[in-house]
Amino acid sequence: MFTKILIANRGEIALRIIRACREMGIQTVVVYSTADRDAAYLKLADQAICIGDAPPIDSYLNIPRIVSAAEVADVQAIHPGYGFLAENAHFAEVCRSCKIEFIGPPVEAMSAIGDKVECKRLAKKARVPTVPGSDGAIDDEKAALKLAEQIGYPVIIKAAAGGGGRGMRVAHNDVSLRAGLKAAQAEAENAFKDSTVYIEKYVEQGRHVEVQVLADAHGNAVHLYERDCSLQRRHQKLVEESPSPALSQEVREELCASAVRLIKAAGYQNAGTVEFLVDQNQNFYILEVNARIQVEHPVTEMVTGIDLIKEQIRIAAGEPLSVRQKDIKQVGHAIECRINAEDPQKNFTPQPGTITELRLPGGPGVRVDSHVYAGYRIPPNYDSMIGKLIVHGATRAEAIARMKRALSEFHIAPIRTTIPLHMQIMSNQNFLAGTVDTGFIERVLLAK
Ligand code: ADP
């Protein structure tokens, strides 16, 4: 087992990884930018190394600086968290050539599955349903129009290298397809330096349901059931829960088995998430695979009792999975609300600044994953998520009641957050009935 790990990330996920390492008796080295120099979690690591200025390119995305820090601190492995370099195959390769273990999938599996077009090809091979659409990249308008005619409107244009809901456009007719194609290509080029886009059928009023998987280097692969992440704003998740209130047991089993088939076909190792869209008739189609730990991993930890970060570390160290499929149970119900420093009243504009008052919720079945504290200054340079509130209950009704109670205890001032929106969601009739879809928040809750 490793004795020292470097954490190439920041915020709540850096703290989450420190916590897992401490319980495993592994020393931690955390890197940070000048914007994060006052973060309290730095003191919880065994060593903290400043690697540069606030812009990610100078720090959290700067491969030479991170690798130098790893060499100076003499670590055996790097945990990339999520975002930043987590799905960067070049970074994983640099780690390998420096004989530092990258805590994630092997470079080859990451490259294959990280590209959405290639992922769809693998899915077909593994008999996992894909959304009807282009088999490969679409680059000219003529081909796009022809395909849309074949599969029928609405269609969605997506960036092959996409992530975070960027580079995506829904088109309902030829006119919006022409405009959307150009806009998506430009946005993809801008965000990912790769303008490759593809087109697929837009699944209307679909649900986003994803399956957590784990695979080791010894040929063992298991799933840890699903998470329902249908509550989104601009294709970004806001609330996640497990189990999904919308799946029959039969569909759940098929969905999970499909996910395992795909990761086996891809030669995947470590933790991963296979994302699906589920339509109104419970037909499911694969969206993509996320080759990293996800923000919403705690809901799975709450229902299965398995620590996903520890499993990731064990797998990277070459150990076999600590669990067998038949021992993994989905017990009770868990919900996560993402607490973002954004003002829902002002079109979710980010709210950087100092938190002067903070009272965190607690009590039975409540978990808060957050690095913030009273006096913490939220830097303007990074993602606006400042923490996650996760609850577990025996039933979905208990989990919802618990989430409402915990949200009402949660006090942050003067920074505005998504807490009031979560309160509204937890009392919404459609949410209570479990009938929301990916467009629900914008169509119903935020419609003026
Ligand atoms: P990203 O990598 O940017 O997160 P995904 O492929 O995971 O992109 O899709 C994110 C979200 O976009 C989905 O959860 C869903 O809400 C929406 N979406 C993507 N593809 C489709 C589709 N074919 N039909 C309907 N919605 C879609």
Side-chain angles (χ1 to χ4, degrees):
M1 182 40 75
F2 306 126
T3 53
K4 204 173 183 189
I5 286 177
L6 180 135
I7 300 160
N9 215 301
R10 63 177 299 280
E12 72 88 17
I13 194 66
L15 174 56
R16 171 72 189 87
I17 300 163
I18 292 171
R19 285 175 169 154
C21 289
R22 284 201 144 188
E23 290 178 20
M24 295 175 87
I26 298 171
Q27 286 189 26
T28 50
V29 179
V30 67
V31 295
Y32 65 96
S33 76
T34 49
D36 284 327
R37 65 156 70 91
D38 296 325
Y41 64 85
L42 300 182
K43 296 192 187 72
L44 296 177
D46 294 285
Q47 203 177 335
I49 300 178
C50 183
I51 50 166
D53 289 334
I57 199 69
D58 295 327
S59 46
Y60 301 107
L61 286 176
N62 193 303
I63 297 176
R65 292 188 189 169
I66 292 171
V67 173
S68 305
E71 295 199 316
V72 168
D74 197 21
V75 302
Q76 295 121 7
I78 296 183
H79 197 307
Y82 51 67
F84 296 122
L85 296 171
E87 286 174 284
N88 184 315
H90 172 62
F91 178 56
E93 216 169 283
V94 171
C95 290
R96 180 150 76 183
S97 63
C98 295
K99 306 224 167 0
I100 299 168
E101 207 60 52
F102 173 80
I103 303 178
V107 180
E108 298 74 21
M110 187 197 278
S111 319
I113 230 151
D115 182 274
K116 295 189 187 196
V117 173
E118 177 61 14
C119 177
K120 278 186 103 164
R121 201 187 58 76
L122 270 171
K124 284 190 179 142
K125 214 175 101 191
R127 290 174 294 110
V128 176
T130 55
V131 190
S134 55
D135 280 329
I138 285 270
D139 36 37
D140 69 280
E141 202 177 276
K142 228 170 105 200
L145 290 167
K146 190 164 160 234
L147 183 75
E149 196 186 321
Q150 272 166 22
I151 58 178
Y153 285 106
V155 299
I156 183 165
I157 310 154
K158 299 168 73 171
R166 281 176 304 176
M168 251 186 264
R169 287 287 184 288
V170 179
H172 293 270
N173 50 50
D174 288 2
V175 177
S176 62
L177 179 61
R178 281 197 196 97
L181 190 65
K182 286 201 184 72
Q185 283 170 330
E187 199 172 306
E189 175 64 37
N190 206 359
F192 315 111
K193 303 246 175 312
D194 177 358
S195 65
T196 312
V197 297
Y198 64 105
I199 291 180
E200 58 189 30
K201 176 92 185 154
Y202 182 71
V203 178
E204 290 183 273
Q205 308 214 349
R207 296 185 71 105
H208 175 118
V209 185
E210 57 186 35
V211 179
Q212 176 70 54
V213 294
L214 285 176
D216 65 19
H218 307 274
N220 305 305
V222 297
H223 69 79
L224 286 83
Y225 298 95
E226 83 282 10
R227 292 184 288 257
D228 192 314
C229 315
S230 300
L231 282 165
Q232 307 179 344
R233 181 182 163 266
R234 297 199 174 156
H235 306 301
Q236 291 194 32
K237 300 160 189 166
L238 266 172
V239 177
E240 301 98 350
E241 60 182 313
S242 182
S244 165
L247 295 187
S248 68
Q249 190 55 25
E250 196 187 335
V251 174
R252 170 173 296 112
E253 279 164 21
E254 276 178 42
L255 193 78
C256 294
S258 298
V260 173
R261 271 206 310 279
L262 176 64
I263 59 147
K264 281 192 168 161
Y268 194 84
Q269 279 168 39
N270 216 286
T273 298
V274 187
E275 298 191 327
F276 296 92
L277 270 178
V278 182
D279 72 13
Q280 299 271 309
N281 301 316
Q282 293 202 41
N283 297 306
F284 61 82
Y285 310 95
I286 185 168
L287 271 178
E288 63 166 335
V289 176
N290 288 141
R292 54 168 157 81
I293 193 74
Q294 305 249 115
V295 170
E296 58 274 22
H297 76 276
V299 295
T300 300
E301 297 186 323
M302 299 293 264
V303 292
T304 61
I306 295 166
D307 187 315
L308 288 165
I309 305 286
K310 288 184 187 169
E311 289 300 326
Q312 283 195 292
I313 295 171
R314 285 193 196 107
I315 293 167
E319 292 188 3
L321 292 181
S322 72
V323 283
R324 285 171 303 181
Q325 188 68 65
K326 68 176 177 48
D327 301 323
I328 305 172
K329 300 274 183 297
Q330 199 176 23
V331 179
H333 199 98
I335 307 176
E336 171 180 280
C337 288
R338 296 193 189 194
I339 313 299
N340 299 340
E342 295 170 354
D343 188 353
Q345 297 287 332
K346 292 202 181 119
N347 200 27
F348 294 83
T349 37
Q351 301 279 295
T354 303
I355 295 174
T356 55
E357 291 168 37
L358 179 72
R359 185 184 62 226
L360 295 178
V366 175
R367 165 174 170 182
V368 181
D369 277 21
S370 176
H371 61 294
V372 308
Y373 50 89
Y376 176 73
R377 197 181 63 82
I378 303 166
N381 318 80
Y382 310 110
D383 192 85
S384 59
M385 196 187 74
I386 53 168
K388 307 175 310 203
L389 172 59
I390 310 108
V391 300
H392 184 252
T395 59
R396 184 167 191 261
E398 188 183 50
I400 293 172
R402 190 159 272 166
M403 182 58 90
K404 277 182 163 162
R405 188 268 291 167
L407 285 166
S408 70
E409 289 175 14
F410 211 144
H411 171 73
I412 301 182
I415 301 294
R416 301 213 183 275
T417 71
T418 43
I419 291 174
L421 176 66
H422 288 305
M423 283 290 234
Q424 207 185 337
I425 293 170
M426 291 301 133
S427 303
N428 178 276
Q429 288 309 316
N430 298 83
F431 175 71
L432 296 179
T435 55
V436 299
D437 61 82
T438 57
F440 178 78
I441 290 190
E442 277 150 309
R443 202 177 56 242
V444 182
L445 281 191
L446 300 178
K448 291 267 157 60

